[in-house]
Amino acid sequence: MARKPGSRSEITGPRLREAALRLFARDGYAAVSMRQIAAEVGVQAGALYLYTADKQSLLADLMADHLEALLAAWAAEAPRGDARARLDHFARFHIRFHAARADAVFIAYMELRNLTPENFARIEALRRRYETELEQILRDGQAEGCFAVPDTKLAAMALIAMLTGVNTWFREGGRLSLPRVEDIYVDMVLKAAGAGGLPR
Amino acid sequence: MARKPGSRSEITGPRLREAALRLFARDGYAAVSMRQIAAEVGVQAGALYLYTADKQSLLADLMADHLEALLAAWAAEAPRGDARARLDHFARFHIRFHAARADAVFIAYMELRNLTPENFARIEALRRRYETELEQILRDGQAEGCFAVPDTKLAAMALIAMLTGVNTWFREGGRLSLPRVEDIYVDMVLKAAGAGGLPR
DNA sequence: GGTTGAACTGAACGGGCGTTCAGTGACAAT
DNA sequence: ATTGTCACTGAACGCCCGTTCAGTTCAACC
């Protein structure tokens, strides 16, 4: 037996990426073997190398794709208006987007140290572009006088850490719905920025 | 050659733990071999098993020791006074304690999935005890009427995520001193809790 | 100074790792 | 019906893994 009946690269390729994403998120990059991934795909390990150069670039590509999708999704929303409204929008967008892709988010935050220096630089640049989006909102709000933030760079990182933290505990079907969680976090984010909370 | 001159268990034991802590933090539990740790200690791999039952409990013990030290240190500070003052104190304590033990903090947050279920339960219980400390402050402040938090449980996790995020970027000798960072974060934490910021 | 036991070595165990590659069966085009 | 190529197998490569253990050497005590 060599080629499997019905096998096609447009199917196996995506399946490889899905399996790798799920397993890397669950067990960690270093703890997952190519043979495990192959078993999940339903293929022998050697066949994976038709779809990725090696294990390292499989990880790097998953991370880069996630961050590029994040930036593209944010660019597509392109909120206008005053800084307060844009910060509200950013917080909701961040929670929603990250909740929908928990595995990719987890990998993008946990597996940075398993990247080669070149791949790390590529990924880190993407992450920084996203942070800058938030920092720009904070700077604008500071200029408009509607925020009171001691340091926009620190505040940007603090708020992103807070928002991303949702992923560590949020589970669909839990005590709170996602829109309710968004409300609560938007309230805290706006207050932390000195823009008052959500109207109650 | 068998026993090394000058070797003593009171020395090798701690050295094993220090090496494991540093290497686990830098490369991740799964990516570090017992032989690497042994080389760092200056000993053959087999000798490590005089000091730890296996690799897994080496990790679990490092994490448990860290969290127990955290709880003990917080208990020792035992702040009194109104909720606002205690929240201020908590934020400063958290940043200071975590900045001083970056490696242990990193491991305690990143290596949870490498624990056996029994060890995970042990560690998770310790972490939850710490979260409860903060939540109690928030509940007290809510009762006193000096905080305005939509959900104390979520707020506790949000604030801890924000405070722990300092460790991802803070480096001694950078743009901001640690006391200055504490001030900035205390301001954001108090505001997020609805208690106004730091007086300026 | 002989004895005891703690501290450690070095080799071995069975197994899994990432990656390569010659071979092979299934499909599409002719 | 034949051909060509695509998708995949299965075995192999050299290497490293966590852990065990018989043997060796040093330090301390009597």
Side-chain angles (χ1 to χ4, degrees):
Chain A
M1 179 184 15
R3 180 170 185 175
K4 296 255 206 74
S7 62
R8 275 185 305 146
S9 69
E10 311 94 74
I11 292 180
T12 305
R15 274 168 58 83
L16 159 61
R17 300 160 66 85
E18 286 157 24
L21 195 72
R22 185 173 56 253
L23 291 178
F24 286 167
R26 200 188 64 189
D27 300 331
Y29 173 78
V32 174
S33 73
M34 294 299 270
R35 279 172 244 261
Q36 274 174 59
I37 298 171
E40 200 85 353
V41 176
V43 118
Q44 292 298 317
L48 301 184
Y49 290 85
L50 294 167
Y51 302 96
T52 184
D54 48 29
K55 195 187 177 193
Q56 164 70 206
S57 44
L58 177 55
L59 172 65
D61 288 346
L62 287 174
M63 291 173 70
D65 287 356
H66 165 66
L67 290 172
E68 273 156 13
L70 173 68
L71 286 164
W74 175 244
E77 304 220 353
R80 313 273 167 92
D82 63 359
R84 196 197 135 95
R86 278 156 62 213
L87 181 55
D88 183 313
H89 195 120
F90 181 91
R92 291 183 195 281
F93 165 81
H94 186 98
I95 290 177
R96 215 180 321 117
F97 189 91
H98 282 62
R101 305 168 179 237
D103 282 352
V105 170
F106 201 64
I107 290 172
Y109 275 79
M110 303 279 280
E111 304 295 356
L112 286 168
R113 61 178 160 197
N114 288 306
L115 295 171
T116 60
E118 307 80 48
N119 283 331
F120 179 82
R122 176 161 69 112
I123 301 298
E124 195 57 17
L126 290 170
R127 179 197 314 290
R128 214 159 283 179
R129 267 178 54 197
Y130 184 65
E131 279 173 12
T132 306
E133 294 289 324
L134 172 57
E135 206 202 332
Q136 190 55 54
I137 295 174
L138 295 176
R139 268 202 297 260
D140 290 350
Q142 204 78 345
E144 291 171 18
C146 66
F147 292 165
V149 176
D151 186 302
T152 53
K153 208 157 205 75
L154 256 65
M157 288 187 293
L159 296 180
I160 285 181
M162 181 167 137
L163 291 170
T164 305
V166 171
N167 267 47
T168 63
W169 57 264
F170 180 76
R171 297 292 173 268
E172 201 86 43
R175 178 166 67 92
L176 299 165
S177 71
L178 194 56
R180 177 77 187 115
V181 171
E182 284 179 32
D183 284 344
I184 292 173
Y185 271 77
V186 164
D187 180 67
M188 289 191 290
V189 163
L190 288 175
K191 277 185 192 153
L198 233 38
R200 8 187 91 214
Chain B
M1 177 183 20
R3 181 169 185 177
K4 296 255 206 76
S7 64
R8 274 184 307 147
S9 69
E10 311 96 72
I11 292 179
T12 305
R15 274 168 60 84
L16 160 59
R17 300 160 66 85
E18 286 157 24
L21 194 73
R22 185 173 55 253
L23 292 178
F24 285 167
R26 200 188 62 188
D27 300 332
Y29 173 78
V32 174
S33 71
M34 293 300 269
R35 279 172 244 262
Q36 273 174 63
I37 298 172
E40 200 87 352
V41 176
V43 119
Q44 292 298 314
L48 300 185
Y49 290 84
L50 294 167
Y51 303 96
T52 184
D54 48 30
K55 196 189 176 191
Q56 163 70 205
S57 44
L58 177 55
L59 173 64
D61 289 346
L62 288 174
M63 291 173 70
D65 287 356
H66 165 67
L67 290 172
E68 274 156 13
L70 173 67
L71 287 165
W74 174 244
E77 303 220 356
R80 315 272 167 90
D82 63 358
R84 194 195 136 96
R86 279 155 61 213
L87 180 57
D88 182 314
H89 195 118
F90 181 91
R92 290 183 196 279
F93 166 80
H94 186 98
I95 291 176
R96 216 179 320 118
F97 190 92
H98 283 61
R101 304 167 181 239
D103 282 352
V105 170
F106 201 65
I107 290 172
Y109 275 79
M110 304 279 279
E111 304 295 356
L112 285 169
R113 61 178 161 198
N114 288 306
L115 294 171
T116 60
E118 307 81 48
N119 284 331
F120 179 81
R122 177 160 67 110
I123 300 299
E124 196 58 16
L126 290 170
R127 181 199 310 292
R128 214 158 283 178
R129 267 178 54 199
Y130 184 66
E131 277 173 13
T132 306
E133 295 288 324
L134 172 57
E135 205 202 332
Q136 191 55 53
I137 295 173
L138 295 176
R139 269 203 296 261
D140 290 349
Q142 203 77 347
E144 291 171 19
C146 67
F147 293 166
V149 176
D151 186 301
T152 53
K153 210 159 203 72
L154 256 66
M157 289 187 293
L159 295 181
I160 285 181
M162 181 169 135
L163 290 169
T164 305
V166 171
N167 269 45
T168 63
W169 57 264
F170 179 76
R171 297 293 174 268
E172 201 87 42
R175 178 167 66 91
L176 298 166
S177 70
L178 194 56
R180 177 79 186 116
V181 172
E182 285 178 32
D183 285 343
I184 292 173
Y185 271 76
V186 165
D187 179 67
M188 289 190 288
V189 163
L190 289 175
K191 277 185 193 151
L198 232 38
R200 12 185 91 218

